[in-house]
Amino acid sequence: ASMFASALPSTPMPACASSRDLAASVRGSRVSRGATSSSGRRDTRWRHPTRAASRVDPFADPVVPRDPDARLPDLDWTAEVPVTEGKFAGYTLLASAFTGEEVEAVADLLLGSGMAGFPLERRTLLVYLRGAVPAFPHGTYLVGRLRAPRAGTIEGRSLPDASLTLDDASLASPRSSWSEEKSSAHGPVVATVGVSFTEATRRKFSSLKPPSDAAYLSDLTVFEQERGNGLGIAMLAAAEAFAVDMRSPSMYLHVATKKPGVVKLYKSQGYAIRAVDPGIFGWRGRLLMRKPMA
């Protein structure tokens, strides 16, 4: 017997009965099937069949209604983040969403990172990235370029741009080791990071799935020769600025448990561990980390 049998009228309905007739009969069955209480009155309250309990995501953020009139970032979106450490201290990292012109530069960075999670064959990766360009702003890769300070400091002397000689400029403005060939082809892109805001614009996860209404960060990569100079932290700050402009309540990310240094870095930037997947005997274990976007 159907689990909904008790909700159907006891009087057989003709095969040609309309939905209106059926609904009227069902409404009438509320009274005819009501139980008699101690006071002599019938209990006509409708009793629904038992329903399966809904599954609640324990990591979901409180639902914040989105302002339908809020303006999301457009393709002209940029962020300027000061670099505060390393040989590029005093420089500014200019971050923007990648376009078709930066696809090859992003591919070079990702392939040189040694990370997993994206196609490792260059041709396939280029197809993947070109297909991701139209997903903006709900999913994109941000690219970072360096802008030299307007005034350089050489051996304790502050010099305006106009007074810098060629030799002074080489001391005041350390050159990026991004190759001349790639610089001429792509521009001085030294860092990239992926950000997504819907399930449709991020990869599928077998465990530790981030909430669908939150921002998700992945593939934070800095050109190998420039690592350790504060560019990764600056690129992370740019991604967070983009998430704020996208009205996202939180930023989530995954980190491999075998990378305690990376975990420590994210903790220093305000991220906290929300869940742990130990993997198989410690292999492929990872953490889900989160930071609220104020």
Side-chain angles (χ1 to χ4, degrees), residues 34-56:
T36 304
S37 65
S38 57
S39 61
R41 297 181 178 179
R42 286 185 176 273
D43 182 1
T44 60
R45 290 176 297 179
W46 183 251
R47 283 174 169 72
H48 289 282
T50 302
R51 296 178 179 177
S54 60
R55 299 179 62 183
V56 179

Side-chain angles (χ1 to χ4, degrees), residues 40-294:
R41 297 181 178 179
R42 286 185 176 273
D43 182 1
T44 60
R45 290 176 297 179
W46 183 251
R47 283 174 169 72
H48 289 282
T50 302
R51 296 178 179 177
S54 60
R55 299 179 62 183
V56 179
D57 185 350
F59 305 115
D61 295 306
V63 177
V64 179
R66 292 181 180 268
D67 182 358
D69 298 324
R71 183 179 178 182
L72 297 180
D74 55 28
L75 285 173
D76 293 328
W77 181 93
T78 58
E80 299 187 6
V81 182
V83 181
T84 58
E85 61 183 83
K87 69 179 182 180
F88 294 112
Y91 277 54
T92 300
L93 184 78
L94 302 177
S96 60
F98 86 139
T99 64
E101 296 178 357
E102 287 95 15
V103 163
E104 293 195 11
V106 171
D108 286 339
L109 284 168
L110 295 179
L111 289 173
S113 69
M115 293 190 297
F118 46 80
L120 297 180
E121 199 274 326
R122 180 180 175 81
R123 183 181 302 176
T124 306
L125 179 58
L126 289 174
V127 172
Y128 165 78
L129 292 173
R130 290 190 180 106
V133 171
F136 180 90
H138 303 289
T140 190
Y141 278 89
L142 302 180
V143 292
R145 296 175 169 85
L146 283 171
R147 185 179 67 194
R150 296 182 182 277
T153 301
I154 306 175
E155 297 179 354
R157 297 183 294 116
S158 179
L159 300 174
D161 290 341
S163 66
L164 287 177
T165 66
L166 181 61
D167 291 337
D168 289 337
S170 65
L171 292 173
S173 305
R175 291 173 58 86
S176 168
S177 54
W178 183 259
S179 73
E180 290 297 330
E181 180 183 356
K182 291 179 180 177
S183 292
S184 62
H186 313 308
V189 176
V190 295
T192 189
V193 64
V195 283
S196 67
F197 301 90
T198 65
E199 290 184 335
T201 57
R202 66 183 64 149
R203 61 183 65 109
K204 306 301 180 183
F205 301 104
S206 58
S207 65
L208 302 187
K209 181 180 177 182
S212 59
D213 63 338
Y216 179 74
L217 181 142
S218 64
D219 305 334
L220 176 57
T221 306
V222 175
F223 181 55
E224 185 176 5
Q225 301 303 318
E226 309 299 4
R227 294 172 188 171
N229 288 294
L231 300 184
I233 291 178
M235 202 68 200
L236 177 62
E240 292 173 355
F242 189 70
V244 170
D245 288 346
M246 285 293 291
R247 277 67 175 176
S248 185
S250 299
M251 179 80 86
Y252 283 77
L253 55 87
H254 289 113
V255 181
T257 54
K258 65 180 181 180
K259 297 182 178 179
V262 179
V263 175
K264 183 178 179 180
L265 182 145
Y266 282 121
K267 283 184 174 181
S268 71
Q269 300 304 307
Y271 288 81
I273 298 173
R274 293 298 303 271
V276 180
D277 180 355
I280 304 174
F281 300 108
W283 182 67
R284 300 193 70 175
R286 59 180 181 166
L287 310 174
L288 179 67
M289 304 186 74
R290 169 186 176 270
K291 178 180 179 179
M293 297 289 100

